[in-house]
Amino acid sequence: MKYLLIFLLVLVIFIISITLGAHNDQVVSFNYLLAQGEYRVSTLLAVLFAAGFLLGWAICGLFWLRVRVSLGHTQRKLKRLQQQLGQAEETVTVSQVPAVKE
């Protein structure tokens, strides 16, 4: 449900940007780091929106991947420590069994 709402929000933003861009056929001069270009406002708006969207997903994906790897390492470490604790408890239990005296 959460992903559906996020998808709908992105879709609404994209539709609004296309609608605004379709009514703006004005040509603007866009200076970027290495060069300069003449672009229509609608094209520039769509390209910059798409670039920002993809960059945002890439950054979030890298953070998610880092957390998943860390979680996997932590789960393996926890499982190893639980096995060691279980073996230690068995050793303590076996050594504390009193001998039967008659």
Side-chain angles (χ1 to χ4, degrees):
M1 184 67 181
K2 180 175 75 170
Y3 296 112
L4 179 64
L5 291 175
I6 292 171
F7 176 74
L8 289 176
L9 178 67
V10 170
L11 185 64
V12 166
I13 292 172
F14 186 70
I15 289 172
I16 289 172
S17 67
I18 287 176
T19 304
L20 290 174
H23 295 308
N24 292 317
D25 290 333
Q26 185 178 10
V27 176
V28 293
S29 176
F30 182 68
N31 294 322
Y32 43 96
L33 189 60
L34 299 174
Q36 174 180 348
E38 299 285 329
Y39 303 103
R40 291 186 331 158
V41 173
S42 60
T43 304
L44 191 59
L45 182 66
V47 168
L48 292 178
F49 176 77
F53 184 77
L54 292 175
L55 182 65
W57 271 102
I59 291 170
C60 287
L62 289 175
F63 280 114
W64 178 82
L65 184 63
R66 190 178 83 180
V67 167
R68 292 299 298 175
V69 168
S70 175
L71 179 63
H73 287 302
T74 306
Q75 285 177 339
R76 282 193 295 275
K77 186 176 179 180
L78 178 64
K79 186 182 287 186
R80 190 175 340 114
L81 289 173
Q82 285 175 339
Q83 288 174 351
Q84 289 176 356
L85 182 63
Q87 291 172 354
E89 286 177 352
E90 286 177 6
T91 305
V92 169
T93 305
V94 169
S95 64
Q96 290 182 353
V97 174
V100 177
K101 295 182 181 180
E102 290 185 32

